[in-house]
Amino acid sequence: MKKALRIGAAAVALATVATVGAVFNTGHTSENSLVSAPFVQTAVLRQGASGGEVKEVQRRLKQWGYYNGAVDGIYGKGTIEAVKKFQRKNGLTADGITGRSTFEALGMNDSVKVLDNDKKGGSSQGSGYTSSDLYLLAKCIYAEARGESYTGQVAVGAVILNRVASSQFPNTISGVIYQKNAFTAVSDGQINLSPDKTAMNAAQDAMNGWDPTYGCIYYYNPAVATSSWIFSRKTVTTIGKHVFAI
């Protein structure tokens, strides 16, 4: 999405509360694809990985006293040593690599589910995103738009990804989705529903670059939206019950 949009901080705050619906993004690279660049992750985390999934591993290890470094999303020496300590404590192979067993012990169930999906032949690669990102994006799509057409579901995922790309919003999928008061699916708990295959495919297509909204960062259902501010946004397209705007 284009960075040329100039939206005031106050307007963004209002929009966050006003948006009816949620935005989702998640992506991942195959478990067998090793990390070769600092900004690309695989579902299995090892030295050189970076991003939101690494931050979550660091956050949990720090909370439990295994890690003393910065929660910076960089899988470096400090993180490796912390993972090893955690693995030894939990009877796992102390190799410093966060794979299925370590994800499970850490309670990162979304990552476990995506790895299990990979073993069944599922495909869920998305440039620069993790496997947990993909699954979370699919959960949001399912919670927010499961009654919409397939294109409408992809569109919701695209809005989330467009927000991630915008300087006006958090720069991670989880940050966008869980931004305070941003999305109904998070507020009412529907984000915890398990996505179906259609939602997973829609998330993957959005991550692969399909954007039926042409760069939109907002969407809402005019039948239930209550904020006058959201109606002031420039409409780009309407798909099913949702209006997509900038």
Side-chain angles (χ1 to χ4, degrees), residues 60-208:
R60 295 187 184 216
L61 291 174
K62 191 163 189 172
Q63 180 181 353
W64 298 332
Y66 294 95
Y67 179 64
N68 297 316
V71 180
D72 55 8
I74 300 173
Y75 207 96
K77 183 177 180 181
T79 302
I80 293 171
E81 291 305 311
V83 170
K84 286 181 178 179
K85 290 179 184 177
F86 177 80
Q87 289 170 327
R88 282 193 288 268
K89 182 70 174 178
N90 287 274
L92 304 172
T93 301
D95 56 9
I97 297 171
T98 304
R100 189 192 186 286
S101 296
T102 304
F103 277 132
E104 187 172 34
L106 285 167
M108 294 177 66
N109 296 325
D110 287 353
S111 297
V112 172
K113 288 177 181 177
V114 174
L115 284 171
D116 288 344
N117 183 60
D118 286 345
K119 289 181 179 179
K120 294 176 182 177
S123 175
S124 51
Q125 184 168 352
S127 177
Y129 294 111
T130 70
S131 55
S132 289
D133 285 333
L134 179 65
Y135 191 75
L136 178 57
L137 183 60
K139 288 207 300 183
C140 287
I141 290 173
Y142 183 74
E144 285 285 319
R146 59 185 179 275
E148 295 294 306
S149 67
Y150 185 73
T151 300
Q153 292 187 45
V154 175
V156 168
V159 171
I160 296 167
L161 295 175
N162 290 340
R163 285 194 175 192
V164 173
S166 170
S167 62
Q168 305 298 326
F169 295 90
N171 61 2
T172 65
I173 288 172
S174 61
V176 166
I177 293 174
Y178 290 110
Q179 189 172 22
K180 188 176 181 180
N181 298 324
F183 304 111
T184 303
V186 174
S187 300
D188 65 15
Q190 291 192 64
I191 188 66
N192 297 313
L193 297 174
S194 297
D196 59 12
K197 183 177 181 181
T198 299
M200 290 294 293
N201 290 341
Q204 185 65 71
D205 277 339
M207 290 193 139
N208 287 343

Side-chain angles (χ1 to χ4, degrees), residues 147-149 220-223 238-244:
E148 295 294 306
S149 67
Y220 62 95
N221 183 339
T238 299
I239 304 173
K241 295 180 180 179
H242 288 141
V243 173
F244 294 86

